[in-house]
Amino acid sequence: MASSTSCIQANGILRDNHELTPLEKHVMFFDINNDGIIYPSETYQAFRKMGRGIFRSMFAAVLIHFNLSHKTRPGKCPSLLFPIVVENIKYAIHGSDSGAYDSEGRFVPEKFEEIFKKHANQNADSLTYNEVKELLKTNRKPKDYYGWANAFVDWNSLYDLGKNKNEILTKETVKAVYDGSLFEQIAKEHASK
């Protein structure tokens, strides 16, 4: 099913010696079988590993795959299996977001720092829910409704998954989502309970 160039090794390097970008690492948590292709059932399993309920996990899997599958399979006929190809995840980057990933899926530290310089008003190293809403409003590009919707879902999901007991989203948590480690941390915390 997957070509030999798209299979992932455990050390985070593609078989063709292509090192994973931060965006690819971000989505690899959802590739349960590490074959470089993420199916809705894997996304569902990943959300369950993070402690999300059955309905919420099913809804997330359907929404994510319906929106991203065709973008990660350029030039191919749509598939009713709605796979997401990890090595093509850069094609699913949307507008009206922070710009912390560039067009190749690489992390842009300056844009990451800008999130907190511009929007972390109460504490320089964290965001409140209202500051997240402000960030979303500020980053909206005119008539980019698809980007607005995706940024809304991304940031609200991040806030829901990553907020601490004080209802704050820390800089460390936001960085962990960009480098791909947050989901694994949440799954380990959930498994230990």
Side-chain angles (χ1 to χ4, degrees), residues 91-135:
Y91 300 126
I93 293 173
H94 56 80
S96 297
D97 204 4
S98 66
Y101 288 126
D102 70 9
S103 63
E104 294 297 312
R106 295 176 298 236
F107 181 69
V108 182
E110 301 80 23
K111 290 290 191 176
F112 174 76
E113 291 297 330
E114 196 175 282
I115 293 169
F116 292 89
K117 285 178 186 164
K118 285 184 174 180
H119 305 288
N121 301 317
Q122 289 186 12
N123 181 331
D125 291 330
S126 64
L127 297 169
T128 65
Y129 183 69
N130 285 335
E131 290 167 344
V132 169
K133 288 190 335 188
E134 174 192 313
L135 175 149

Side-chain angles (χ1 to χ4, degrees), residues 22-23 26 97-98 100-101 107 112 115 155 174-180:
L23 181 57
H26 169 81
D97 204 4
S98 66
Y101 288 126
F107 181 69
F112 174 76
I115 293 169
W155 278 96
V174 177
K175 177 89 184 250
V177 82
Y178 282 113
D179 72 22

Side-chain angles (χ1 to χ4, degrees), residues 10 14 26 41 68 170:
L14 292 173
H26 169 81
S41 61
L68 302 184
T170 66

Side-chain angles (χ1 to χ4, degrees), residues 4-9 11-21 24 87:
S4 62
T5 60
S6 66
C7 292
I8 308 298
Q9 295 177 344
N11 62 2
I13 298 177
L14 292 173
R15 285 199 181 152
D16 64 355
N17 291 323
H18 162 79
E19 194 168 325
L20 294 174
T21 66
E24 291 167 341
E87 67 185 344

Side-chain angles (χ1 to χ4, degrees), residues 130-151:
N130 285 335
E131 290 167 344
V132 169
K133 288 190 335 188
E134 174 192 313
L135 175 149
L136 290 169
K137 189 173 182 181
T138 302
N139 288 339
R140 286 183 187 163
K141 305 285 185 259
K143 298 185 181 181
D144 178 23
Y145 307 114
Y146 180 80
W148 295 2
N150 279 281

